[in-house]
Amino acid sequence: MNKKHQRALETDFPIQQLSELAQQESWRKEVNRPIYHIHKWWATRLGSIFRGLTLGALSDSTTDIWRSFYERHDLSDKTVLDPFMGSGTTLGEALKLGARAVGCDINPVSTFAVRQAFTRADEASLREAFDQLEASVAREIRRYYYTHDRETGESIPVLYFFWCKMVRTPDGEELPLFSRYVFAQDAYPKRKPRAQIVCPNCWSILEDRYDASALKCPSCQHRFNPQDGPAKGQYVTSKDGSRHRIKNLLPLDGQPPRHRLYAMLAVRSNGEKVYLAPDERDHALYAEAAQRLASESLPLPTLQVRPGHNTNQARGYNYKQWRQFFNDRQLLCLGLLLREILRIEDVRIQEQMLCLFSSTLEFNNLFCSYKGEGTGAVRHMFSHHILKPERTPIENSVWGMSKSSGTFSTLFESRLLRAKRYLDAPFELEIERDLVGARTGTRKTIASSPLDPKCVSDWEDLMRASQGVMVLNGDSAKLPIPDEAIDAVVTDPPYFDFVHYSELSDFFYAWLSPVLSDRYPWMARRDSSDPGEVQHKDARAFSRQLARVFSECHRVLKPDGVLAFTFHHSRPEGWAAIYDAIETAGLAVVAAHPVHGELRGSSPKAAAKEPISLDAILVCKKRSVVRRGSGQVSSIHRINEIEAELTGCGMMLSRNDLFVIAAAQELINAAHEVLSYDEMADRLASLRAELFELDTVAVGRSTVRAAV
């Protein structure tokens, strides 16, 4: 291939420097790239990686990506496409480089959130709208989140209510689904061993060590082991020792299990936090909220929870309607807030507040749990990639106060305003080092001009805009873009057996669709799914779906343009599906760059035996400009090369990480051949088996014994 037509991304990529930077960014993604976290989306990629990726995809082979990383760029003659825009990472990074951006997603929640992320709204107007809401509805909401101080009798605000699911045995015994009776402890309990414990006999709250195994309740003298609750796995044990399968004890009327309120965390007037057991007045306040809910006419969800891979566990606990994911107090307060937001006359500001409202839902439902003290207190409902029913949910305060997390008022400051400020001053993280090169910290560096893109939905309008972003909703296999008009396609496609986005996004769509369906046709669908979405548990079907989109990318891509995307998978069939889609679309992989993708501490990764922390950037060009031939590189040799680079910045690689490196290299090797899906799957399966037979030793790094 003529080097004149090569992109920088084809020849080299600063994987060590960007992986080190990405690791730093990933600790606080919502702080370091706030525009992509204005609303929940799944598998949001790291902005620093995508800045480097996009820069490399738009620059010629003489460009040093790392040297240019912190420079300001004017790539206004370039246009970037992301056919799976998700949270909008590619769009934002392209705009920051001065390029035009086109994003399309088949999911309406993604489209709505991305539009709000790139909409300019001055802070004064947002604060004015927030102040109006505070004056009109905040007091109404807050009154349902108060209790009385048991010592002084004064009214004090409640941060969190603690609930427990209850089931009834055939003998009529009601059992709480506690796995242990310790319900609140510090994130670092060995340093701060104090913990809160509920008595299983009288339900009073006592304080002792987090690991206490023998206690006597001071209120009722009952002796018990706080570590030994009745619920273990899928079973619950009665007082007489008989075991019952929990699902066999669910209510016969088809409703979700009953919840019992057993504790509260309140804030005294002096700022002290105190755990309290609820009394009659607390139960009466909840009953008042439930009674008012029945009498109010509020914009509440009516959408059913459809069967699916990510929803079946919730449906198995009788959660068949999205409104059942909230208790009566939450429904009332969320409904009151939404009704008031819809009265904001300025549609632009109203939709910013609607986006904030929808984001708040993630932290205010019965699938949230308590992280404990010393950290962000509320574990949001999507910490798992399935809708896992929470047996001991935490009820947050919808409006919130200064000590809250995940509430409307706190997210207004930490998510919405932070995202709008980022548009004014889009910064990059930069690692600071001492004279010998040791890392000493990070600083923020402004490396882009302020973002004020004109949001359009027509190609001609995009071409006329000095700074434009075209945000589309629909099937990316049918784009309203001329032939050979795009300089680079940069994306992160879905994984065939991972998260089925529309099943989860229905949670938000159930609230947004009824209030936005008159404005946007894509918000008027039955649910957030679409027949054209690329998502399937069968690898071959997934490959066919993805090939449709990649073929469309081939059509709109300029002859010398690149399609670059991130991917990782632990299974050979996942990689074979990707290869098959690329080949079917008339493309070929010409380069691969493994980089840091996600922290292993995330819930799904933490549970894996061999967690993947790498993404492979796969760089593709049109098959017509790539010559088939020799020049293959040993996958094991490539592992040793990449590993040496990445362990140099402190990464420790699992065997699945090594497979990501090797599988990506095999896709490059396959560009010189013509393989079927089965042939590629067999080759990758043999490669994985070989890797998992090799010795791997973790001593600050992962070492692979040479196999060649």
Side-chain angles (χ1 to χ4, degrees):
M1 188 190 305
N2 190 332
K3 289 195 174 184
K4 176 179 163 184
H5 299 294
Q6 278 190 315
R7 302 297 187 208
L9 194 59
E10 297 177 62
T11 57
D12 195 19
F13 195 69
I15 63 173
Q16 183 179 28
Q17 296 93 328
L18 284 178
S19 290
E20 188 175 22
L21 191 60
Q23 287 182 82
Q24 193 65 41
E25 179 189 334
S26 62
W27 283 107
R28 293 293 303 278
K29 291 189 286 187
E30 74 283 1
V31 173
N32 295 321
R33 280 296 197 281
I35 49 174
Y36 314 135
H37 299 276
I38 192 172
H39 191 281
K40 172 66 183 179
W41 197 253
W42 296 268
T44 299
R45 298 296 90 183
L46 294 166
S48 52
I49 295 294
F50 270 68
R51 178 179 175 86
L53 196 168
T54 306
L55 177 60
L58 295 177
S59 305
D60 63 40
S61 58
T62 63
T63 301
D64 185 316
I65 296 173
W66 184 242
R67 284 182 179 273
S68 305
F69 187 84
Y70 292 104
E71 295 175 359
R72 296 198 182 206
H73 297 272
D74 178 13
L75 301 177
S76 54
D77 60 334
K78 307 292 186 183
T79 305
V80 178
L81 165 67
D82 186 347
F84 302 106
M85 69 180 173
S87 64
T89 304
T90 298
L91 278 60
E93 298 310 310
L95 289 168
K96 285 161 58 183
L97 294 170
R100 296 183 180 91
V102 180
C104 184
D105 206 287
I106 206 162
N107 191 291
V109 175
S110 162
T111 303
F112 178 72
V114 171
R115 287 191 174 198
Q116 301 316 308
F118 294 114
T119 295
R120 292 301 295 256
D122 65 279
E123 188 168 327
S125 298
L126 291 171
R127 285 200 179 278
E128 182 181 357
F130 180 84
D131 291 344
Q132 289 175 357
L133 292 172
E134 188 163 36
S136 61
V137 76
R139 187 174 179 181
E140 276 190 88
I141 293 172
R142 282 179 175 145
R143 69 177 297 271
Y144 293 107
Y145 295 92
Y146 271 86
T147 187
H148 61 284
D149 192 326
R150 306 316 192 240
E151 293 183 1
T152 65
E154 67 177 324
S155 184
I156 55 175
V158 174
L159 284 174
Y160 313 112
F161 292 99
F162 297 84
W163 297 82
C164 182
K165 280 182 168 59
M166 308 290 293
V167 293
R168 189 178 296 276
T169 70
D171 296 332
E173 181 182 359
E174 197 168 35
L175 299 172
L177 297 185
F178 286 116
S179 60
R180 61 199 288 250
Y181 297 110
V182 179
F183 69 90
Q185 65 184 50
D186 195 84
Y188 303 96
K190 290 184 179 180
R191 296 183 199 169
K192 298 180 180 179
R194 185 191 69 171
Q196 304 299 317
I197 302 165
V198 59
C199 172
N201 186 57
C202 69
W203 292 73
S204 61
I205 305 301
L206 54 147
E207 190 173 285
D208 210 290
R209 285 185 57 91
Y210 74 98
D211 55 357
S213 58
L215 289 182
K216 182 171 76 171
C217 175
S219 298
C220 69
Q221 311 306 307
H222 177 68
R223 296 182 182 275
F224 66 102
N225 178 0
Q227 311 304 324
D228 189 19
K232 293 289 186 292
Q234 300 304 311
Y235 293 87
V236 64
T237 303
S238 300
K239 290 179 181 177
D240 63 7
S242 57
R243 287 209 320 161
H244 307 270
R245 189 171 178 82
I246 292 171
K247 283 196 174 182
N248 294 339
L249 304 181
L250 296 176
L252 297 178
D253 61 1
Q255 295 296 309
R258 185 179 81 83
H259 290 82
R260 175 168 176 169
L261 177 64
Y262 68 91
M264 303 173 293
L265 178 58
V267 182
R268 287 182 167 144
S269 56
N270 63 1
E272 177 191 2
K273 294 180 181 179
V274 57
Y275 289 90
L276 302 169
D279 61 16
E280 290 183 4
R281 281 181 283 185
D282 300 308
H283 293 298
L285 184 61
Y286 181 85
E288 180 188 329
Q291 185 176 6
R292 181 177 177 186
L293 175 67
S295 65
E296 288 276 3
S297 177
L298 298 172
L300 301 178
T302 58
L303 188 65
Q304 302 289 312
V305 180
R306 54 194 166 93
H309 174 75
N310 299 112
T311 56
N312 282 342
Q313 192 164 354
R315 285 175 55 85
Y317 271 70
N318 291 340
Y319 288 94
K320 303 294 178 63
Q321 301 176 29
W322 288 110
R323 68 178 291 160
Q324 292 172 327
F325 281 55
F326 309 86
N327 67 26
D328 286 348
R329 175 162 43 205
Q330 289 172 325
L331 286 172
L332 172 66
C333 295
L334 289 168
L336 291 171
L337 177 56
L338 179 55
R339 185 172 67 183
E340 206 62 29
I341 289 172
L342 294 173
R343 290 172 177 163
I344 298 174
E345 293 182 0
D346 186 329
V347 172
R348 181 175 54 94
I349 299 299
Q350 182 198 95
E351 290 191 355
Q352 292 283 299
M353 291 299 177
L354 280 174
C355 187
L356 173 63
F357 170 84
S358 185
S359 187
T360 303
L361 297 172
E362 180 185 5
F363 301 91
N364 289 269
N365 59 78
L366 292 174
F367 280 56
C368 295
S369 56
Y370 191 47
K371 286 185 181 179
E373 299 168 15
T375 183
V378 182
R379 181 179 291 108
H380 62 78
M381 68 180 298
F382 296 113
S383 58
H384 301 276
H385 285 153
I386 54 174
L387 294 171
K388 181 182 178 184
E390 179 56 46
R391 294 176 180 178
T392 54
I394 183 176
E395 180 189 356
N396 204 354
S397 170
V398 168
W399 186 271
M401 57 179 293
S402 60
K403 293 182 181 294
S404 299
S405 68
T407 64
F408 187 80
S409 62
T410 56
L411 291 176
F412 174 73
E413 297 286 344
S414 66
R415 295 287 177 97
L416 184 58
L417 292 187
R418 185 175 277 157
K420 298 302 129 179
R421 290 168 186 157
Y422 190 87
L423 295 176
D424 289 327
F427 61 83
E428 307 299 322
L429 287 182
E430 189 170 3
I431 294 175
E432 297 178 310
R433 302 183 185 279
D434 60 21
L435 294 177
V436 296
R439 188 165 59 188
T440 59
T442 59
R443 64 174 176 266
K444 295 176 180 179
T445 300
I446 302 297
S448 308
S449 300
L451 299 181
D452 189 12
K454 182 179 181 182
C455 191
V456 302
S457 55
D458 179 82
W459 178 260
E460 297 302 325
D461 289 340
L462 179 68
M463 292 297 101
R464 285 192 290 266
S466 58
Q467 189 183 75
V469 59
M470 186 173 169
V471 180
L472 304 171
N473 179 267
D475 186 350
S476 289
K478 297 173 286 188
L479 293 168
I481 299 174
D483 293 351
E484 299 185 353
I486 297 295
D487 294 278
V489 178
V490 177
T491 191
D492 176 50
Y495 302 145
F496 78 94
D497 61 348
F498 203 51
V499 179
H500 294 247
Y501 300 136
S502 66
E503 292 174 9
L504 300 178
S505 64
D506 276 355
F507 172 77
F508 302 109
Y509 187 79
W511 289 86
L512 292 172
S513 173
V515 302
L516 291 172
S517 58
D518 289 341
R519 298 180 198 175
Y520 306 112
W522 35 271
M523 274 290 183
R525 306 201 301 240
R526 181 181 61 184
D527 52 48
S528 65
S529 67
D530 188 279
E533 65 188 14
V534 177
Q535 196 76 68
H536 207 287
K537 64 181 180 181
D538 179 79
R540 293 175 187 270
F542 169 75
S543 178
R544 288 192 295 271
Q545 292 171 339
L546 186 59
R548 292 176 59 248
V549 176
F550 280 178
S551 296
E552 181 71 346
C553 292
H554 183 287
R555 179 186 70 80
V556 302
L557 194 62
K558 291 180 179 179
D560 61 342
V562 298
L563 182 155
F565 63 96
T566 52
F567 184 76
H568 70 249
H569 212 287
S570 62
R571 292 163 54 189
E573 56 264 42
W575 289 91
I578 289 292
Y579 167 78
D580 199 47
I582 291 169
E583 185 74 19
T584 301
L587 300 163
V589 180
V590 297
H593 310 292
V595 293
H596 175 79
E598 191 172 350
L599 283 176
R600 290 184 180 174
S602 61
S603 293
K605 288 187 179 295
K609 290 182 180 179
E610 296 282 349
I612 298 176
S613 56
L614 290 184
D615 276 338
I617 297 173
L618 299 174
V619 186
C620 306
K621 299 204 80 167
K622 292 187 176 184
R623 168 65 69 188
S624 58
V625 301
V626 177
R627 291 190 305 174
R628 295 191 191 273
S630 58
Q632 295 187 358
V633 175
S634 161
S635 297
I636 300 298
H637 177 72
R638 186 61 172 153
I639 286 174
N640 291 331
E641 281 186 334
I642 297 296
E643 187 190 29
E645 286 195 66
L646 293 180
T647 54
C649 64
M651 290 188 69
M652 188 171 71
L653 306 183
S654 70
R655 286 186 290 185
N656 275 329
D657 283 324
L658 303 182
F659 179 62
V660 168
I661 298 169
Q665 181 59 45
E666 283 305 305
L667 264 62
I668 300 174
N669 292 341
H672 304 287
E673 307 175 59
V674 180
L675 300 177
S676 68
Y677 169 90
D678 288 329
E679 288 171 330
M680 177 55 84
D682 289 344
R683 178 183 289 190
L684 291 166
S686 297
L687 177 62
R688 190 173 192 278
E690 181 184 359
L691 279 174
F692 272 66
E693 288 172 2
L694 295 175
D695 295 331
T696 56
V697 182
V699 187
R701 63 185 292 270
S702 179
T703 304
V704 179
R705 186 181 61 200
V708 291

